[in-house]
Amino acid sequence: MIPFLDLERVNAPYMQRIEEAAIRVLRSGRYILGNEVDEFEKSFAAYCEAGYCIGTANGLDALTLILKAFAFPEKSEVIVPANTYIATVLPLSFLGLTPVFVEPEEVTMLLNPELIEDKITPSTKAIITADLYGRSCEMARILELANDYNLKVITDAAQAHGAAYFGKKTGSMAHATAFSFYPTKNLGALGDAGAVVTSDKELAQKIRYLRNYGSALRYQNEYKGMNSRLDEIQAAFLHVKLPYLDKENKRRRQMASRYLTEIQVKNLVLPPTDRIQEDAWHLFVVRHPDRTALIAFLEANGIQTDVHYPLPVHKQEAYKEYKSLKLPVTEKMHQEVLSLPLNPVLTEEELTYIIQTVNRFDA
Amino acid sequence: MIPFLDLERVNAPYMQRIEEAAIRVLRSGRYILGNEVDEFEKSFAAYCEAGYCIGTANGLDALTLILKAFAFPEKSEVIVPANTYIATVLPLSFLGLTPVFVEPEEVTMLLNPELIEDKITPSTKAIITADLYGRSCEMARILELANDYNLKVITDAAQAHGAAYFGKKTGSMAHATAFSFYPTKNLGALGDAGAVVTSDKELAQKIRYLRNYGSALRYQNEYKGMNSRLDEIQAAFLHVKLPYLDKENKRRRQMASRYLTEIQVKNLVLPPTDRIQEDAWHLFVVRHPDRTALIAFLEANGIQTDVHYPLPVHKQEAYKEYKSLKLPVTEKMHQEVLSLPLNPVLTEEELTYIIQTVNRFDA
Ligand SMILES: Cc1ncc(COP(=O)(O)O)c(/C=N/[C@@H]2[C@@H](O)[C@@H](OP(=O)(O)OP(=O)(O)OC[C@H]3O[C@@H](n4cc(C)c(=O)[nH]c4=O)C[C@@H]3O)O[C@H](C)[C@H]2O)c1O
Ligand SMILES: Cc1ncc(COP(=O)(O)O)c(/C=N/[C@@H]2[C@@H](O)[C@@H](OP(=O)(O)OP(=O)(O)OC[C@H]3O[C@@H](n4cc(C)c(=O)[nH]c4=O)C[C@@H]3O)O[C@H](C)[C@H]2O)c1O
């Protein structure tokens, strides 16, 4: 059986250094916002070609902190992609902001920039782009729109560590970018972790306070802040793994290239091939009208797949107030998408087997 | 120099098993909501003599999750102690609830039950008790009031692991209790961690979903939930330390007894002696009209102290809308309180030295 993702194998090459890092931190007596977080923040900001990085407890909190820092008035509207993981949208609800769902572009499945302008009203304050599957959204067009309408651009890059857009690193383009280091991500911690990346100094400072009870100095609270800190021990793990992210992403690109050139099945839609080298290939998402049959066929042949995601945000019980909203492109995608295994520890043999098996599917 | 708290020394007796636990978890490949969290939750619920425990990312989130689960209408009023750490109050602000500050009782410095009834209005939905310094609030009176007015009682027990109130364990009395396992707490993790404890099955279930994006089943979201999970690795550390909590609290009680019987200084007010054996003695907080002089004197004699806390919540910049509120008992306390070192690794010699030095203070 080829598992969709085997985290033990993914972390194995780093395990010795991860264990050493754990022991160093445990023995240091310093567990909250110390040197390990500082150093990782500096390295990750540099990696993203951005000014500042602020470690957070997770990716959802990173988005929440960005939105809290912008302090848009309640009921402000924020453009969000209809095709995304629910965590892109939840922070808006916490802060009394209104998500305005925009359909994806057919080929990339990402926020369709051509549909944004129609949705902008005097209450719109920001656009959230979600770089789903590891691919950057169409930032040129989106930043232009944001500029024209004086909107903030926030990128949810939970799935796109190390991606780029025409030479610009993810994290260097939006006003602020949220990363998740959930264990399954391209850069994954060994527990929950996240970060905000921005080049706006004041915003960075405010988020730094907001993640720590709103406190600038000990026991003095300037803002009504959260508690959302990156743990020292997780920062140390991330610091061990960061230097290998580019190498791992390169491996992901090679695998994606093989999939893209070698898979050929009737009715199976592959992801676009135009930006293979800048995509971080967190997931390799194909589409098929009879997804259920394809999953069963692959499973029967020892290949585990996954679905990202089966149910769109506006169809979740949590968002039942949007139940009657019609977003046909998004809805169709959620019925057809299927993720094939793609991660840096798959062997060429496994890859060949997956490709051959997929190519045998006939439905 | 006797440091106020030396975490390296505090964790030293457990360090070997903590390291073993770290390595076990790291090698397991399972980092989020697995067996370690499950097992710690069961043990901690049992320890608190309560039905359920739900691990969370930290203590502030534990309170936030409880309040989210109760889903009081916006602008509902919640009684909170005016003398507390700001994290007791922040979750109310996140959810659009109105804190109604109540002054502490002079001797215990905890929420004065006699002042609560006057503050109850038709909008009041809950009372938050904060078991500051490790001492339980007057639960009999408070639960009676809550019963009379149909209010929920929520305990912030961030400082009171293992405390009791007339034989009832903290965590077993309120409708829900929030714990923090911040590294400096009586039961401290080696990073951020927290938990909710409750005996209400439905509430426990809802909080379990709410800490995990509101998700019951993978990719199905019933509620607009947060991301606030206890890390597997931190759960494993807590599980190593929990069996020793009672022994450590006993040691704290012995030290508190010595302080209470041996310290005698003009104008220095000691904590009450009536419940030494049920207090968890997270902090040993004395009061003196010339705190600054006392701190300087102790510091000059090699004893580090701390102040919990220097500035009340309603005087924080974050709560400037309450700036003109007059809470004279609280304000006076914040000018006079001083925490002497008290933690399980202080030696009898250090204790004797602290007592003798304090007794030499004359101001
Ligand atoms: C666009 C976007 N925005 C914001 C966020 C929010 O970021 P967050 O707050 O940091 O979670 C996400 C997160 N997104 C992810 C989401 O994509 C999904 O990720 P996933 O990879 O499908 O996660 P999973 O089901 O837990 O794991 C997949 C497999 O991996 C194996 N595994 C997993 C774990 C955790 C393990 O320890 N050991 C294992 O062996 C077994 C599982 O079958 O579900 C997570 C809970 C979210 O954090 C996002 O995609
Ligand atoms: C009533 C109440 N309700 C809710 C909460 C919120 O819970 P939380 O969200 O889990 O923080 C609190 C938390 N309360 C605590 C609060 O009491 C205070 O605790 P504190 O012990 O004074 O913390 P500190 O200043 O970080 O540490 C004290 C000393 O300990 C040493 N130290 C500390 C750390 C962390 C270390 O790694 N290594 C060290 O050597 C050096 C420091 O001088 O400040 C914290 C940030 C809060 O979590 C509370 O008291």
Side-chain angles (χ1 to χ4, degrees), chain B residues 49 131 134-137 160-170 173 253 275 277-280:
Chain B
E49 295 166 9
D131 293 355
R135 181 183 168 105
S136 174
C137 289
H161 318 71
Y165 175 81
F166 294 100
K168 294 219 173 86
K169 267 282 175 70
T170 296
M173 293 172 284
R253 288 175 187 128
R275 300 243 310 279
Q277 298 311 322
E278 293 203 313
D279 191 313

Side-chain angles (χ1 to χ4, degrees), chain A residues 7-8 11 15 18-19 22-23 26-29 31-32 58 60-61 68 85-86 90 93-94 182-183 190-192 213 218-227 229 231 233-234 237 306-311 316-319 321, chain B residues 7-8 11 15 18-19 22-23 26-29 31-32 58 60-61 68 85-86 90 93-94 182-183 190-192 213 218-227 229 231 233-234 237 306-311 316-319 321:
Chain A
L7 272 192
E8 245 185 283
N11 285 315
M15 197 41 81
I18 285 172
E19 290 175 11
I23 285 166
L26 293 173
R27 292 187 187 167
S28 75
Y31 309 118
I32 306 283
N58 55 63
L60 174 54
D61 283 2
K68 257 192 204 276
Y85 183 60
I86 193 168
L90 288 166
S93 306
F94 301 160
Y182 187 77
L190 289 87
D192 271 303
Y213 322 97
R218 185 163 180 249
Y219 301 152
Q220 286 192 27
N221 298 72
E222 238 160 290
Y223 305 107
K224 295 186 176 87
M226 307 166 58
N227 180 358
R229 298 175 287 232
D231 269 340
I233 199 166
Q234 299 296 341
F237 299 157
D306 209 341
V307 173
H308 299 91
Y309 297 95
L311 197 62
Q316 298 280 359
E317 182 62 21
Y319 281 96
E321 63 272 32
Chain B
L7 272 192
E8 246 185 282
N11 285 315
M15 197 42 78
I18 284 171
E19 290 176 11
I23 285 166
L26 293 173
R27 291 186 187 168
S28 75
Y31 309 118
I32 305 283
N58 55 63
L60 174 54
D61 283 1
K68 256 190 204 279
Y85 183 60
I86 192 167
L90 287 167
S93 306
F94 300 160
Y182 188 77
L190 289 87
D192 271 303
Y213 321 98
R218 186 163 180 250
Y219 301 152
Q220 287 192 27
N221 298 73
E222 238 160 291
Y223 306 106
K224 295 186 177 87
M226 308 167 56
N227 179 356
R229 299 176 286 234
D231 269 339
I233 200 166
Q234 298 297 340
F237 300 157
D306 208 341
V307 172
H308 298 91
Y309 296 94
L311 197 63
Q316 297 281 359
E317 181 62 20
Y319 281 97
E321 61 273 32

